[in-house]
Amino acid sequence: MPFDTNPLMQSKMKALLSKQPGPPSTLVIETIDDPVAKGKEVLVRVNIAALNFFDCPIIEDKYQYKPPRPFSIAAELSGVVEAVGDNVTRFKPGDRVCGYVQGGTARELVVAPEIALSNIPDSVSDEDAACIMVTYGTSYHAIKDRGELKSGETLAVLGASGGVGQAAVELGKIMGARVIACASSEEKLAFCRECGADETVNYTTEDLKARLKELSGNQGIDVLYDPVGGDFSEAAFRTMGWGGRFLVVGFASGPIPKIPLNLPLLKGADLRGVFWGAFTAREPEKNRQNIDDLLGWLADGTLKPHVDSIFPLEDAATALNKIAARDVKGKVLLKV
């Protein structure tokens, strides 16, 4: 039933809220007023909200982005259009959509900019559609737009069993690359091989630099995807081939590395930053095209996201604790 904008008939929705800084146990579910879509905005009834690791520090005020309270977690959603603003042209009530809205999707209704949403193909489930925005969106932007990965090139992925790393492995294979997955345990590397990795490196038991050089046939790595940072970055950069592209995606290990600038000079290689969040804001149409590519691969079966677990909204604290403990392989979803 479309939203009624009559203030005398204001309806209510259920929302998961962070009202004070703290661990997942501080989150509460409350009933608040329904939002209203205006102009180029779309009102979406949320079916699935997808969680990411950044949802853990954000509720403790330990993340770079600090939304005003009360706020809802979860930046990705899939659902059904409830109503549209006067200037919306791409959607109508009843359309199935997915999108990234920075945060706030762990609630029954969300207002999203029209440009932030994409239609879900009929053959794609709500669960799969909600999985692809942040991890696959980041990795596709990284290796396609920033890394300019070409079929037949060698792609090495650090932190390859994590969310964005796993996505980079899968997308690298789809794009025709030879993929070397690097991770910290044999269990994680086995998961990487399930995701399509051609070769694997355990950087806790093997010399990362020596092993990558060996696996590249001493030709060097064409594109290196680094969401880890720390001590591994310089060692990995020393394996770059001539004209290689080193993608700075994040610093999951904590320390921000200081790579000597003589290395890109000697190798004719590039250091390229990957800031997907800024990309979605600065180039929203290009990002939407990327998401549509991913949805097309979902629709034809080329891509299949890994869903670790699905929790009801009421069990969001359990879901976040599971993510914080690094006890997941793939996405954790909330059923709204």
Side-chain angles (χ1 to χ4, degrees), residues 223-242:
V223 178
L224 198 141
Y225 183 99
D226 182 11
V228 178
D231 296 336
F232 296 115
S233 296
E234 183 177 333
F237 197 96
R238 289 181 180 275
T239 71
M240 298 301 294
W242 181 258

Side-chain angles (χ1 to χ4, degrees), residues 209-273:
K209 175 184 170 184
R211 187 70 175 130
L212 284 179
K213 281 190 173 182
E214 177 188 354
L215 290 173
S216 72
N218 291 317
Q219 298 301 305
I221 302 298
D222 297 303
V223 178
L224 198 141
Y225 183 99
D226 182 11
V228 178
D231 296 336
F232 296 115
S233 296
E234 183 177 333
F237 197 96
R238 289 181 180 275
T239 71
M240 298 301 294
W242 181 258
R245 289 83 73 198
F246 186 102
L247 304 178
V248 182
V249 183
F251 314 102
S253 69
I256 297 176
K258 296 178 175 59
I259 295 178
L261 289 181
N262 66 313
L263 293 179
L265 182 153
L266 293 171
K267 293 175 175 291
D270 294 348
L271 275 166
R272 299 187 182 182

